[in-house]
Amino acid sequence: MPNPTALTPYPATITKIDVEAGDTKTFTVVFDDPEIMENFGNQPGQVCMLSAFGEGESTISITSSPTRGKFLEFCVRRVGRLTSVLHQMEVGQKIGVRGPYGNGFPYEMMKGKDLFFIGGGSALAPIRSLIDYVLSDQYRSDYGRVEILYGARSMDDVLFKSDLAERWPAIQNTKIYTTIDRPEEGWNGHVGFVPPFIEEVAPTPENKIVILAGPPILIKLGLAVMEKLGFKDEQIITTLEMRMKCCLGKCGRCNVGSKFICVDGPVFSLAQLKEMPPEY
Amino acid sequence: MMNLAQQLQEQAKKLLEEKKVDLVIGFGQGTELARNTPVFIDSPEGVSALTWGPFCANNLAKYLSDYNNAPGGTAVVVKGCDARSVNRLLDDNQILREKVVVIGVPCPGQLEWQKVSAEIKPGSTLKEVVDNGDSYTVKTDSGDYSFSKKDYLLHRCLVCENPNPVISDITIGKELPVKNYEERFAEVQDLEKLAVNEKSAYWDKQFTRCLRCYACRNVCSVCTCEVCVFDQMMPMWVSKRTNLSENTAFHITRAFHVAGRCVDCGECDRVCPMDIPLRKLNVKIHKDLGDLFNSPTPGTEPGLISPLGGFSPGDPEEFM
Amino acid sequence: MESRVVNKGQISELLDKLAKDYNLFAPVKDETMTLFRRVSGAQDVLLDYNNSDISPKGCFLPQNEKTFSYMYTGDSLEINKPEGAQKTVLFGARPCDIKAVLTFDPVFEGVKFGDEYYSSKRENSIIIGLSCTKVLSTCFCYAMGGGPCDITGSDLLLTEIGDKYYVEVITEKGQALVDAYSQIFAKQDTAQLAKDKDELAKKLSGEFVRKVDLTGVKELMDNNFELPYWSGDDQKKCISCGICTYVCPTCHCFDIFDYTTGDFTGDRIRCWDSCMYPEYTLEAGGHNPRPTRKERIRNRFMHKIKYHLDRYNMVGCVGCGRCVIKCPVNIDITKIINDLKEVAQNA
């Protein structure tokens, strides 16, 4: 059944705000109507349209996994008009949420495989929903080894610090690699950009799926490295970002060729990406 | 004797062959008989696309700043009114004099293509246009058609101040007599006679139609801001909603923003898909600048300082 | 279905009645422009026109449309949606513009997400088409599968024959309307009028001067995204205005934003937007996937002749010729199609 009322957001309340970095906060949001919360049915990798009334809407990926509870988390970097307003909001304030939109990650296809996550900058946010899904008590046994390679510009820009340092490493059969662009006092980890770091870690392609997310430049360079390491196009999954207004495949602007990122994406395999014009 | 188009082609070829410029921006035949279109020629072989006639309405000076970062020079074909744009762009430091070659063509007036097109049998091919002084004869394979200038010229051409380009490195064709049109401000004077509420009603009716396609802004040769105030998101000065209030804010802001710089090329008026008489707004400002400061139309001479854009210690206004 | 006859002398009566019983949208003269407007009766309506300056797409997708209003104080929120559409008649639209509405349908009545605003208007509207009587030099509907007397998409199609309108009843909605106004839509022998209409259609189809042929163009596009053609004069002369998209009857892209009215209240608005604007795809972070006029022009024309076909199996152009007329720099879709065809043939 098509949802005809899709442009109207549901009222929701901000229940928690975590400061991730100087320009990034994670908002925990709960729908005012418990029935909507119960039946929202978000899948890892999907996105929502967040409304700040008086300012408009913006597409934000859901960074929480549905396995973590009946709430939604949105990790928001302050870059534009709407995100600046969101950053001024406080716990208890109302926003509007509509969704969930997009295809989400093909987690069924990933079952039985090792997973190698690569995230650059704020793009850890969209893949975190899948990381938490596959690492959940419920589904951990469905997946093999989980490795996460994450790079940020500086120590301050590292998102989900406690997830990376404590929560995820504590789960069995996981490995976390982190890097920052330039050396900094107090940082004992790797220093350098993400693409060469992937080459250094050199994941092997056997029975492995790579999930890659980052700014357009990282996607382009990262894909090249993965191909060099012997990964096939079907083994590489990425998630795209485009400017969106409706998220329903109608407003037109997020097309890449004949595909709309909002309804046909945002998740694509490299095999699918190669069928599309390089206009993202 | 070569016709003007042939002379243009010759000059363009020479400029390109001698590498004085890498690009010539001129007029070529459009997709309708009575229509020409901008062409961009980068090789001597391409110059045959250049044409000239009474269907060259576009102000090509608008494109010059697109080539500021090109390694070579750019030549541009201009009419008298467009030449004012070149002066203005130079004064605003939007283009570099040494990178631009101005090919000026004295212009006896441009026809409104849609009006002309409506009279000519569809599918005809243009053979030649003859200027008879008060009219043009358009010769086609389906016969000859006569168009009186009084009825078929673009409004702006009926009160043309500069039929001869005011800046030109190469002039093609003969200089034309300059007329002093007393009726230059007639349309504005008619509006001035209206009562305030009548004026308001007049403009409300016009602005209500506006689609906010921004063609008037984008075609304007003096609209050179990197980020336009109407495109800004933070803060959003004017909403994208099209209603009388927002549309009026757009048009009035724009008129004032180009006040003292508008060269009256009339392009905003020509391109408006909703036939909003935008030139009247600008001409009103020209008239006032003339009345109050004895200021000529911007761009008429190089180095003209706009009374609204200059500073003088002797200014009688105390707050200055 | 059946056909009827309306005497020209009764058109005013019909329009007056329709205006009373429905929201009536019809072509009117506004100074130099022909535009579709809501009218209160026959007196404003202009049926002797070639092609309106702006298509009647606004009847289904208004340039500005309130999707809801809100009252928001920070910790309280109330959302109120507008009522559904009222009964509407779109009168006197040309076959190309009506065909264009059909290209909207799969966009707004999608598989997964519908659009209550569009559907409500569509369901509550009756489209009364009006066959063309003249072909302009810019017309090319024949090349996009339409025609000056094409019935596609109309509920009723009127064709002017002498002092009568020949009325073809095409849908049940149309049938219900002619039955309700049966004193105007006369039951008569229409065999001769039907013949006359065929004659007119035949005559008009011979009057197109623009030769446009789509054959092979989509196939070329399928296999070639990067073509040197897109770096040519069109992207150099384009001024990035929104005219082509706003006058286009098949362009449906929109923006969504809030319009505050003060006192914690405001409206959420969707309004037409244009893929020719640089800001259209500009992301808040500064990245722009279509940063120059080249990418934007390519996207617009590819959308018309490939993307819309790929997605909905319909060409995204109906050949109304408005963009050809209104483009300030004479970017011409028929030239682009023909040029691409030449590229395809030489490939």
Side-chain angles (χ1 to χ4, degrees), chain B residues 114 209-216 268-276 278, chain C residues 32-33 35 53-54 241-244 246-247 326-328:
Chain B
Q114 273 179 275
R209 281 205 306 275
C210 177
L211 297 172
R212 301 271 293 282
C213 68
Y214 296 137
C216 51
C268 47
D269 202 276
R270 176 184 71 87
V271 303
C272 179
M274 300 304 275
D275 281 0
I276 300 173
L278 290 164
Chain C
T32 55
M33 315 286 294
L35 302 167
D53 287 87
I54 304 294
C241 75
I243 291 182
C244 53
Y246 287 180
V247 301
K326 297 278 187 181
C327 174

Side-chain angles (χ1 to χ4, degrees), chain A residues 160-192:
Chain A
F160 306 111
K161 292 184 181 72
S162 71
D163 289 347
L164 287 162
E166 295 151 31
R167 203 158 62 81
W168 292 334
I171 297 166
Q172 45 127 346
N173 205 12
T174 59
K175 171 87 180 158
I176 317 293
Y177 308 91
T178 46
T179 182
I180 58 173
D181 288 355
R182 269 169 230 92
E184 234 176 294
E185 210 168 303
W187 178 262
N188 301 320
H190 185 275
V191 173

Side-chain angles (χ1 to χ4, degrees), chain C residues 14-264:
Chain C
L14 174 64
L15 288 167
D16 285 339
K17 284 206 157 98
L18 287 173
K20 222 172 110 232
D21 299 344
Y22 294 88
N23 276 349
L24 179 63
F25 285 88
V28 298
K29 199 94 195 148
D30 180 343
E31 302 198 352
T32 55
M33 315 286 294
T34 310
L35 302 167
F36 278 83
R37 290 264 167 82
R38 176 145 181 226
V39 294
S40 56
Q43 71 280 3
D44 308 318
V45 178
L46 169 87
L47 293 181
D48 178 25
Y49 76 105
N50 292 319
N51 206 353
S52 58
D53 287 87
I54 304 294
S55 89
K57 70 175 174 184
C59 290
F60 305 101
L61 184 71
Q63 179 160 15
N64 302 275
E65 181 164 35
K66 181 167 87 173
T67 56
F68 58 82
S69 57
Y70 57 81
M71 163 109 163
Y72 175 70
T73 61
D75 46 14
S76 80
L77 171 64
E78 202 185 302
I79 290 175
N80 289 304
K81 289 211 277 188
E83 283 174 21
Q86 291 180 305
K87 284 189 338 180
T88 297
V89 167
L90 169 58
F91 191 95
R94 295 297 186 195
C96 55
D97 290 336
I98 296 169
K99 194 162 185 285
V101 179
L102 300 188
T103 70
F104 275 19
D105 287 347
V107 175
F108 290 99
E109 297 173 341
V111 185
K112 198 166 170 201
F113 302 110
D115 189 291
E116 57 190 313
Y117 312 98
Y118 178 83
S119 295
S120 166
K121 288 192 221 23
R122 195 78 172 86
E123 281 157 23
N124 285 294
S125 295
I126 299 170
I127 301 179
I128 304 181
L130 182 63
S131 290
C132 298
T133 51
K134 202 177 159 187
V135 170
L136 300 180
S137 67
T138 45
C139 291
F140 57 102
C141 59
Y142 77 95
M144 300 293 152
C149 305
D150 188 12
I151 60 166
T152 313
S154 289
D155 294 305
L156 295 177
L157 181 72
L158 272 53
T159 305
E160 189 184 337
I161 312 268
D163 59 353
K164 293 187 172 67
Y165 283 101
Y166 168 58
V167 182
E168 286 167 279
V169 180
I170 297 141
T171 64
E172 279 166 25
K173 265 189 196 173
Q175 184 69 55
L177 190 96
V178 296
D179 290 343
Y181 300 89
S182 55
Q183 72 281 25
I184 297 173
F185 290 100
K187 276 191 187 172
Q188 277 176 26
D189 179 12
T190 54
Q192 184 54 43
L193 289 172
K195 233 181 255 170
D196 291 345
K197 186 208 161 183
D198 287 347
E199 281 299 309
L200 175 70
K202 215 166 123 194
K203 175 178 132 336
L204 291 176
S205 70
E207 289 180 6
F208 289 97
V209 295
R210 260 160 211 270
K211 302 279 168 271
V212 188
D213 182 6
L214 275 178
T215 325
V217 174
K218 184 179 140 33
E219 289 70 23
L220 174 78
M221 300 287 92
D222 285 345
N223 301 313
N224 293 281
F225 183 71
E226 293 293 346
L227 285 173
Y229 180 74
W230 298 117
S231 304
D233 275 11
D234 282 339
Q235 61 96 11
K236 289 178 190 151
K237 67 190 179 189
C238 176
I239 57 166
S240 295
C241 75
I243 291 182
C244 53
T245 52
Y246 287 180
V247 301
C248 177
T250 69
C251 272
H252 60 77
C253 293
F254 58 83
D255 195 358
I256 296 176
F257 55 88
D258 287 357
Y259 194 80
T260 45
T261 41
D263 297 339
F264 311 112

Side-chain angles (χ1 to χ4, degrees), chain B residues 6 24-25 60 95 112 120 145 158 189 202 239 255 266 278 302:
Chain B
Q6 286 166 328
V24 177
I25 308 174
L60 303 179
I95 52 173
E112 243 183 275
I120 294 176
Y145 301 83
L158 291 169
Q189 279 158 338
Y202 174 81
S239 167
L278 290 164

Side-chain angles (χ1 to χ4, degrees), chain A residues 10-277:
Chain A
Y10 301 119
T13 305
I14 299 170
T15 57
K16 187 163 161 267
I17 299 173
D18 295 306
V19 179
E20 301 285 350
D23 59 356
T24 309
K25 289 179 179 178
T26 298
F27 297 85
T28 306
V29 171
V30 175
F31 288 108
D32 291 357
D33 182 345
E35 206 171 310
I36 291 164
M37 193 73 253
E38 189 60 39
N39 300 321
F40 199 60
N42 53 302
Q43 303 286 319
Q46 287 193 302
V47 304
C48 283
M49 289 301 280
L50 300 196
S51 288
F53 295 92
E55 302 297 335
E57 284 186 310
S58 206
T59 323
I60 307 286
S61 56
I62 308 170
T63 193
S64 55
S65 161
T67 54
R68 297 198 61 211
K70 292 293 167 195
F71 59 84
L72 299 170
E73 283 175 344
F74 300 99
C75 179
V76 180
R77 193 153 75 93
R78 192 182 62 230
V79 282
R81 184 183 167 92
L82 185 109
T83 52
S84 299
V85 172
L86 275 179
H87 267 247
Q88 290 165 10
M89 288 193 159
E90 290 167 11
V91 169
Q93 280 194 290
K94 302 275 184 216
I95 61 168
V97 180
R98 59 184 177 92
Y101 300 125
N103 55 356
F105 288 106
Y107 52 83
E108 290 292 337
M109 170 278 261
M110 297 174 180
K111 277 188 178 163
K113 298 201 165 73
D114 293 340
L115 303 178
F116 196 93
F117 291 89
I118 302 168
S122 54
L124 184 57
I127 57 176
R128 180 174 173 262
S129 58
L130 181 63
I131 295 174
D132 271 333
Y133 183 87
V134 300
L135 293 182
S136 65
D137 294 344
Q138 212 175 332
Y139 300 113
R140 182 67 194 95
S141 56
D142 289 347
Y143 301 90
R145 184 168 172 80
V146 171
E147 293 170 274
I148 300 159
L149 187 153
Y150 174 64
R153 272 173 308 183
S154 69
M155 267 166 72
D156 181 54
D157 290 311
V158 173
L159 305 184
F160 306 111
K161 292 184 181 72
S162 71
D163 289 347
L164 287 162
E166 295 151 31
R167 203 158 62 81
W168 292 334
I171 297 166
Q172 45 127 346
N173 205 12
T174 59
K175 171 87 180 158
I176 317 293
Y177 308 91
T178 46
T179 182
I180 58 173
D181 288 355
R182 269 169 230 92
E184 234 176 294
E185 210 168 303
W187 178 262
N188 301 320
H190 185 275
V191 173
F193 294 120
V194 170
F197 192 32
I198 306 171
E199 274 195 89
E200 214 173 291
V201 173
T204 52
E206 286 75 41
N207 195 38
K208 198 172 283 165
I209 300 282
V210 171
I211 299 97
L212 172 67
I217 183 70
L218 173 65
I219 299 218
K220 272 168 198 157
L221 297 175
L223 290 176
V225 172
M226 300 322 295
E227 284 190 277
K228 202 165 136 191
L229 290 170
F231 284 85
K232 292 206 181 68
D233 296 347
E234 294 74 21
Q235 284 178 280
I236 306 171
I237 307 286
T238 187
T239 171
L240 298 182
E241 273 185 18
M242 290 273 275
R243 189 169 192 209
M244 297 172 192
K245 285 292 176 174
C246 71
C247 242
L248 312 171
K250 306 183 196 303
C251 82
R253 76 200 63 225
C254 72
N255 76 302
V256 177
S258 308
K259 300 267 186 249
F260 283 125
I261 301 306
C262 63
V263 287
D264 303 318
V267 176
F268 295 98
S269 70
L270 180 55
Q272 290 169 314
L273 268 193
K274 282 186 171 172
E275 297 284 306
M276 292 154 60

